[in-house]
Amino acid sequence: MKITGVELRRISMPLVAPFRTSFGTETVRDILLVKVVTPEAEGWGECVAMSEPLYSSEYADGAADVIRRFLLPALPGTVDAGAVGRALEPVKGHRMAKAALETAVLDAQLRASGESFGAFLGAARDRVPCGVSVGIMDSIPSLLDAVQGYLDEGYVRIKLKIEPGWDVEPVRAVRERFGDDVLLQVDANAAYTLADAPRLAKLDPFDLLLIEQPLANDDLVQHARLARTLRTPVCLDESIESAAHAAAAIELGACSIINIKPGRIGGYLEARRVHDLCRAHGVAVWCGGMLETGLGRAANVALAALPGFTLPGDTSGSRRYYAMDITAPFELRDGHLDVPSGPGLGVEPIPEALDEVTTSTEWIPL
Ligand SMILES: O=C(O)CCC(=O)N[C@@H](C(=O)O)c1ccccc1
């Protein structure tokens, strides 16, 4: 496709409630959107980088800068989405920025050809079961109220954020209140060290689906040592930034489940490669979330419909995070979200909603 130009747009999306993790509390999501304009169609990509480099080394201002100064100049005049990754290889890292640009090119291409994201990626289902991520709360009673509300909404899996001092007790309280049949998992966001292994082993009796990213992002060897001591399966998130990382983690026994977040991994094409690799090794995958708007959510729901996504993902309804989404809201139905079937992402930003949350736009002609 010949790219006429690219719009970098920043939006500020207030969360319906503070979302606390082991690395900070989000109250507003500052998001970089990338719009690729071609003669045939426009395409959208949502950069999942946070406003500060606390989840990973990337952050929204940095992503905009690297796209503006290095990624766009690296794109050939006419480009196919499958060639974007190769064209951007000389730039090291910046996977979330690359993912947003590649996704926007892919979306434009698919809108022009009339193919949906799900059909292109190889979706095997037309709806996906939805889990929900529950932040660290001020008290056990407020946690139980939140979990009750999400179960009432129909979520099929509960993920609890944990950190030292908020781990065994909240898990025990949820099990005691809601029973053993609720699908339950925890996410530490790298808040522990190997010295905490005895503490993490106290989670084993609660029959958790998994414990996500207990240790440091860059330490597969220690995760492998920890995995050998725990009964609860170890799942990696931040540690897996490519198919090569996934292969190394599987080889080392560092995890038995992987959370696939296309932005973290460098795009939906690499995410599919991780999916395919894991499926070949019998490693279950599920689709993670980064508080995406309906644009990123549409792409994630399409990805989550691939056959190897055998665990419910963090593909929640729009209202989990936003009172007003910038697209038509994703709404849970019987604990599932429908995979968009229209061309490309299958959703469009609603102009009025987008204008309301836009804090800056920048047009870059190519
Ligand atoms: O449902 C969602 O989109 C959020 C799921 C979630 O918990 N994301 C976590 C994570 O570590 O996976 C996160 C939150 C905020 C920022 C980055 C990551």
Side-chain angles (χ1 to χ4, degrees):
M1 303 189 88
K2 168 82 182 78
I3 299 178
T4 312
V6 169
E7 175 192 271
L8 300 183
R9 179 181 291 256
R10 295 291 282 274
I11 63 174
S12 177
M13 300 276 285
L15 299 183
V16 292
F19 184 57
R20 185 177 152 198
T21 68
S22 65
F23 57 81
T25 300
E26 287 289 295
T27 56
V28 178
R29 191 75 171 84
D30 167 21
I31 296 173
L32 168 66
L33 297 179
V34 178
K35 181 170 74 173
V36 160
V37 177
T38 78
E40 297 88 6
E42 297 181 351
W44 289 93
E46 178 169 345
C47 183
V48 298
M50 311 299 292
S51 49
E52 298 174 65
L54 301 177
Y55 166 79
S56 74
S57 59
E58 294 191 72
Y59 59 103
D61 287 345
D65 187 59
V66 78
I67 289 173
R68 180 185 307 115
R69 292 172 56 199
F70 302 105
L71 301 188
L72 290 180
L75 285 183
T78 57
V79 65
D80 170 85
V84 169
R86 275 192 307 279
L88 303 182
E89 259 168 17
V91 175
K92 299 293 177 281
H94 297 285
R95 288 179 172 87
M96 294 175 177
K98 292 176 177 178
L101 183 53
E102 180 186 86
T103 303
V105 173
L106 180 56
D107 184 31
Q109 199 165 297
L110 294 176
R111 287 179 197 269
S113 68
E115 187 176 27
S116 73
F117 234 70
F120 171 80
L121 289 174
R125 287 163 284 182
D126 58 12
R127 57 202 290 264
V128 297
C130 300
V132 64
S133 180
V134 184
I136 294 167
M137 297 282 189
D138 297 336
S139 71
I140 296 288
S142 55
L143 171 72
L144 295 176
D145 287 346
V147 171
Q148 182 68 66
Y150 294 131
L151 292 174
D152 292 346
E153 283 188 61
Y155 284 103
V156 301
R157 182 269 282 146
I158 299 291
K159 165 168 131 176
L160 303 180
K161 290 292 183 177
I162 62 171
E163 64 181 12
W166 180 267
D167 45 33
V168 176
E169 288 71 26
V171 167
R172 177 183 293 117
V174 168
R175 273 286 181 246
E176 285 175 352
R177 165 72 71 84
F178 301 106
D180 295 337
D181 295 339
V182 171
L183 296 183
L184 184 62
Q185 65 193 54
V186 295
D187 182 1
N189 288 113
Y192 296 84
T193 68
L194 207 49
D196 297 311
R199 176 79 186 165
L200 296 173
K202 292 185 187 318
L203 294 171
D204 277 344
F206 297 106
D207 192 24
L208 298 176
L209 283 173
L210 56 94
I211 175 168
E212 187 180 352
Q213 199 68 44
L215 308 179
N217 300 4
D218 56 358
D219 202 328
L220 295 181
V221 171
Q222 295 216 6
H223 274 104
R225 284 176 58 188
L226 178 68
R228 288 194 289 273
T229 69
L230 296 181
R231 208 181 76 210
T232 306
V234 171
C235 170
L236 290 178
D237 170 356
E238 288 91 330
S239 295
I240 310 297
E241 295 187 327
S242 65
H245 287 178
I250 293 167
E251 173 72 20
L252 287 168
C255 64
S256 48
I257 300 170
I258 287 180
N259 165 345
I260 293 183
K261 289 179 181 174
R264 181 193 80 224
I265 279 177
Y268 288 83
L269 301 183
E270 185 72 359
R272 183 171 54 183
R273 285 189 277 271
V274 172
H275 160 271
D276 296 347
L277 170 80
C278 289
R279 205 165 173 227
H281 286 272
V283 169
V285 298
W286 54 282
C287 186
M290 294 290 285
L291 313 176
E292 288 92 344
T293 72
L295 291 171
R297 203 159 293 276
N300 286 352
V301 169
L303 180 74
L306 267 63
F309 285 79
T310 54
L311 291 168
D314 287 341
T315 48
S316 308
S318 295
R319 61 185 287 193
R320 164 66 184 85
Y321 296 105
Y322 304 117
M324 178 194 75
D325 205 334
I326 57 170
T327 65
F330 278 84
E331 291 171 338
L332 222 58
R333 198 164 45 84
D334 304 326
H336 290 64
L337 285 181
D338 294 333
V339 177
S341 55
L345 293 174
V347 297
E348 290 276 342
I350 299 164
E352 302 72 30
L354 188 59
D355 289 346
E356 198 169 312
V357 296
T358 293
T359 53
S360 73
T361 61
E362 176 186 357
W363 172 250
I364 304 170
L366 291 188

